[in-house]
Amino acid sequence: MSEHAFIGIDLGGTNIKIGLVDPSGRMIGENEGPTHAEEGADAVLARMARMAEQIAQDHDIRWADIGGVGVGIPGFTDMKEGKVVLAPNLRWKDIPVRDPLSKLLQKQVLIENDANVAALGEAWSGAGKGISHLVCITLGTGVGGGIIIDGQIYQGYRGMAGEVGHIPIVVGDEAEMCGCGRLGCLETISSATGIVRIAKKRLAQGAASSLGFLPEVTAKEVFLAAQAGDAFALSVVHYAADVLGRAIAGLAVTLNPGRFVIGGGVARAGELLFGPVRKAFAEYAPYTVVEKTDIVPATLGNRAGVVGAAGLVSKLQQG
Ligand SMILES: [Zn+2]
């Protein structure tokens, strides 16, 4: 049989990203279009199917040579039933995706939660390539995560594994309410939102900083000020890094991954963030674990979702 390509779809609340991926995990082509979630699930599924056929056509790949279609979903999925249990960004509740899409495309279709899919992408051809046991953490508006064990996504008993953003890590007066309804989650500190919240709170308490002169504090501004040597901004970054390092230490002694891959907008701060995270990890985790575990930046950026979605079907077929 001729060389296969796989189609990965990263379904977002605003945009659908789609990619054609070769058997080594390399992106051959990509495309993007609006989701128009307001038109309802059937219309979105039909649009995904059209985009899939189009991208194969655009790259002169016969439909027969497409090995399958994987979809990353921004919400909770039921793998067994192939349906979306809840995706607030799409306003989907109990929507079957796998079977209807498979019928439209006459291909095998697999779906997964988008954070898990991004982790699989990094494991397949990104920063985790060649590492069989991996934890990916995405630091954006929130904190997402995915766990790869023996090259496979670890879903947990009910598909809830990898929700590292909701590790309850802060106790006492510093613990803030998280979007999940619980106190002191990792996400309340080490996300972009968390970093801004901490900076604003401490500024309001009278801390002196160049950030105090800005009309609006963003996570990027906090990192820029820290880079420029602003002691207050540095203390905020170090606090967020310290809390993340502690969470990583907990994950490391529990799962013993070979590598942690950190992505998302906040991770673009580079060594300014990674330096103190590694230092905190080394302080909190036993030496025997620290020695064999590294912490590196993600390399696929916002392509991780598409590559990983394609990986769902390729991994399965390549066994
Ligand atoms: Zn939470």
Side-chain angles (χ1 to χ4, degrees), residues 165-167 177-188:
H166 303 289
I167 295 174
M177 181 60 77
C178 179
C180 73
R182 292 290 176 262
L183 278 169
C185 295
L186 175 62
E187 184 167 296
T188 65

Side-chain angles (χ1 to χ4, degrees), residues 3-60:
E3 194 189 20
H4 273 276
F6 304 92
I7 290 176
I9 300 177
D10 184 357
L11 175 60
T14 312
N15 284 307
I16 298 168
K17 292 197 197 84
I18 190 163
L20 205 51
V21 179
D22 79 5
S24 69
R26 194 176 58 90
M27 186 98 92
I28 308 166
E30 55 191 313
N31 203 354
E32 194 171 335
T35 308
H36 288 308
E38 73 283 357
E39 291 176 8
D42 287 346
V44 174
L45 292 178
R47 187 169 299 112
M48 280 158 62
R50 275 198 305 278
M51 287 174 77
E53 284 162 353
Q54 187 65 46
I55 199 164
Q57 227 174 64
D58 289 348
H59 292 82
D60 289 329

